Amino acid sequence: MDTYSLMREFADSWMLLWLFVFFVCVFVWVFRPGSRRVYRDTASIPFRNDDRPAAADKEA
């Protein structure tokens, strides 16, 4: 069996199954209970200093 046929057979069977399982796991991880607060906090990072400029670093 040549390399191409072996890789093709692997990609058509096990790799497809592994990628599907990985996608389902990522989907479940993203939409798990309690994650809304984390994502809302992360999404609001650019707007935290909207009313005033960010404080200057005194180390620089």
Side-chain angles (χ1 to χ4, degrees):
M1 186 179 268
D2 60 344
T3 305
Y4 175 77
S5 297
L6 182 67
M7 296 299 278
R8 175 70 191 251
E9 185 177 331
F10 178 73
D12 285 344
S13 58
W14 293 108
M15 188 57 75
L16 179 64
L17 178 66
W18 189 87
L19 287 174
F20 178 74
V21 169
F22 180 76
F23 175 78
V24 169
C25 290
V26 168
F27 189 82
V28 168
W29 175 259
V30 167
F31 291 105
R32 71 190 187 280
S35 64
R36 179 175 291 185
R37 181 174 43 114
V38 173
Y39 295 134
R40 187 175 296 149
D41 183 47
T42 305
S44 67
I45 287 174
F47 306 111
R48 286 187 181 163
N49 297 315
D50 232 10
D51 54 347
R52 57 183 161 71
D57 291 336
K58 298 190 180 208
E59 296 176 9

